C-alpha cells in the first residue's frame, strides 16, 4: 500500500444472499467495523437486495455498489438495469467487466467501455475488472491481455474520467479457486497496470488511481498482499460473504500508525 492512495476494499457477493441474509450480513459488518478509519469499504449485493442494504447501511462507513449494469438509460432490454436505476437506490459504485460477465455472458472490451462511460456519465464510480486466464498466463500473454483490456476498455477517456475508476486486477485462475497470486506475482501485475494507466492518462493520474487485487483474498493472505506497494485494496468474493472474514481483511488494510 502507498500512503498517497486510501485503501479500498469491496465485497462482490455475486448471486448470493436473500434480502434477509443480506441485511443480517451488513448489520454484523456495521457492528464489527464501528467507525473504521482509513479504509473505503463497499458492499456489492445482488440487485434484489440493493434497496434493503441501502437502508441498512445508511449513516455507516459502508458504501453501496452493484455488480453490473446496462449502458442504456431505458428501453427494450429485458432483464437489464440502467445506471439511473442504480443511482435511485443510492448506489455509488458498480463493478464492470467481471471475468464471470466476460466469460459466461459474453462481455467484450467494447461492452466494458460502453458500460464504463455510461457509469461515469451517471456519477457512478466503476470498479473495472481485468485479468488473464490460466492459459494466457502459461503462454506468457499476461501483459498483452492486461494492456488490451485497459486500452480498449478505457478508450476515449481522459484523466478526469480515469480518476473516478478503480481497476481490479483479478487473475481468472485465482477467482473462487483457492489459488492466490503470490504477493510478488500480484505486485508485478499491478506495477505493469500502473504503467499502462500512465500511458493512457498521465503520471499523476496513474499514481492516484487505486488498483485492487482480487482472487481468493482471505484473512490469511490479505496482509501480505496489501503490503505490496502497488496493491491498494481488494475485490473480495467468497470471503466477503462472512462478516468475520470480510472484517479481518478490512482490518488488514487499515493503515498502521507509525
Ligand atoms: C471475485 O469474484 O471478484 C473474487 C475475487 O472472488 P474470490 O475472492 O472468491 O476469488
Amino acid at each position: 500500500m502507498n500512503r498517497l492512495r486510501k485503501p479500498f476494499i469491496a465485497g462482490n457477493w455475486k448471486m448470493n444472499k436473500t434480502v434477509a441474509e443480506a441485511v443480517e450480513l451488513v448489520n454484523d459488518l456495521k457492528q464489527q467495523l464501528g467507525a473504521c478509519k482509513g479504509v473505503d469499504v463497499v458492499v456489492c449485493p445482488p440487485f434484489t437486495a440493493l434497496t434493503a442494504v441501502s437502508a441498512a447501511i445508511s449513516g455507516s462507513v459502508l458504501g453501496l455498489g452493484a455488480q453490473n449494469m446496462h449502458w442504456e438509460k431505458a428501453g427494450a432490454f429485458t432483464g437489464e438495469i440502467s445506471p439511473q436505476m442504480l443511482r435511485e437506490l443510492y448506489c455509488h459504485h458498480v463493478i464492470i467487466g467481471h471475468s464471470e460477465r466476460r466469460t459466461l455472458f459474453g462481455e467484450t472490451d467494447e461492452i466494458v467501455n460502453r458500460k464504463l462511460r455510461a457509469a461515469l456519465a451517471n456519477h457512478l464510480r466503476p470498479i473495472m475488472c481485468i485479468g488473464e486466464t490460466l492459459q494466457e498466463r502459461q503462454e506468457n500473454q499476461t501483459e498483452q491481455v492486461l494492456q488490451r483490456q485497459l486500452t480498449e476498455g478505457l478508450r476515449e477517456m481522459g484523466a478526469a474520467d480515469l480518476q473516478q475508476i478503480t481497476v481490479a486486477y483479478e487473475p481468472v485462475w485465482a477467482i473462487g479457486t483457492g489459488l492466490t497470486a503470490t504477493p510478488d506475482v500480484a505486485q508485478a501485475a499491478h506495477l505493469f497496470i500502473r504503467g499502462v494507466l500512465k500511458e493512457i492518462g498521465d503520471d499523476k493520474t496513474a499514481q492516484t488511481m487505486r488498483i485492487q487485487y482480487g482472487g481468493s483474498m482471505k484473512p490469511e493472505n490479505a496482509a501480505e498482499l496489501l503490503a505490496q506497494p502497488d496493491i491498494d485494496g481488494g475485490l473480495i468474493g467468497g470471503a466477503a460473504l462472512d462478516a468475520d472474514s470480510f472484517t479481518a481483511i478490512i482490518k488488514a488494510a487499515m493503515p498502521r500508525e507509525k
Side-chain angles (χ1 to χ4, degrees):
M1 265 178 298
N2 175 305
R3 285 181 172 254
L4 271 179
R5 302 180 289 267
K6 189 174 179 188
F8 180 14
I9 303 290
N12 172 15
W13 296 5
K14 311 192 186 192
M15 197 173 70
N16 292 294
K17 304 287 179 192
T18 62
V19 173
E21 289 165 347
V23 170
E24 191 185 341
L25 175 53
V26 286
N27 282 340
D28 287 348
L29 282 173
K30 281 194 310 187
Q31 208 176 10
Q32 296 200 24
L33 288 174
C36 171
K37 291 208 182 76
V39 187
D40 287 332
V41 184
V42 164
V43 290
C44 303
F47 289 134
T48 47
L50 284 173
T51 303
V53 169
S54 175
I57 64 176
S58 166
S60 78
V61 294
L62 297 170
L64 187 63
Q67 299 172 20
N68 179 33
M69 51 161 243
H70 198 272
W71 59 88
E72 292 286 354
K73 190 175 176 180
F77 301 103
T78 302
E80 294 291 330
I81 306 277
S82 75
Q84 288 81 355
M85 291 168 184
L86 296 180
R87 285 305 307 250
E88 197 181 19
L89 304 180
Y90 304 102
C91 234
H92 289 104
H93 301 264
V94 60
I95 298 171
I96 302 284
H98 189 278
S99 67
E100 286 150 19
R101 303 274 344 148
R102 291 178 189 258
T103 53
L104 302 175
F105 301 99
E107 282 193 16
T108 59
D109 292 321
E110 193 204 330
I111 290 175
V112 168
N113 179 258
R114 280 196 214 174
K115 291 188 175 192
L116 287 172
R117 285 192 283 136
L120 293 174
N122 287 283
H123 308 286
L124 285 162
R125 291 172 158 242
I127 297 174
M128 176 200 193
C129 301
I130 59 171
E132 80 287 358
T133 62
L134 184 58
Q135 191 182 349
E136 287 162 343
R137 175 159 285 271
Q138 285 169 340
E139 290 171 1
N140 288 323
Q141 298 286 314
T142 299
E143 294 192 349
Q144 259 167 279
V145 171
L146 298 178
Q147 173 111 35
R148 190 206 70 229
Q149 290 175 332
L150 287 167
T151 312
E152 300 290 316
L154 297 171
R155 195 175 279 281
E156 286 175 40
M157 293 198 198
D161 295 323
L162 294 181
Q163 273 160 17
Q164 302 301 314
I165 298 174
T166 297
V167 173
Y169 169 61
E170 300 208 306
V172 179
W173 46 271
I175 297 179
T177 58
L179 295 174
T180 317
T182 63
D184 286 351
V185 165
Q187 165 57 24
H190 282 233
L191 187 63
F192 176 78
I193 291 165
R194 209 175 292 289
V196 178
L197 294 173
K198 182 177 164 182
E199 283 168 25
I200 296 173
D202 54 44
D203 189 39
K204 183 161 166 261
T205 305
Q207 292 306 326
T208 50
M209 283 179 74
R210 294 183 290 192
I211 307 174
Q212 297 173 323
Y213 169 79
S216 301
M217 194 188 263
K218 40 191 185 265
E220 302 78 56
N221 59 27
E224 220 188 335
L225 286 159
L226 293 166
Q228 302 305 309
D230 287 284
I231 299 184
D232 308 312
L235 180 57
I236 320 299
L241 296 172
D242 173 78
D244 292 344
S245 55
F246 195 50
T247 302
I249 293 172
I250 294 162
K251 291 197 168 154
M254 282 182 185
R256 305 273 167 264
E257 295 303 326
K258 281 204 170 163

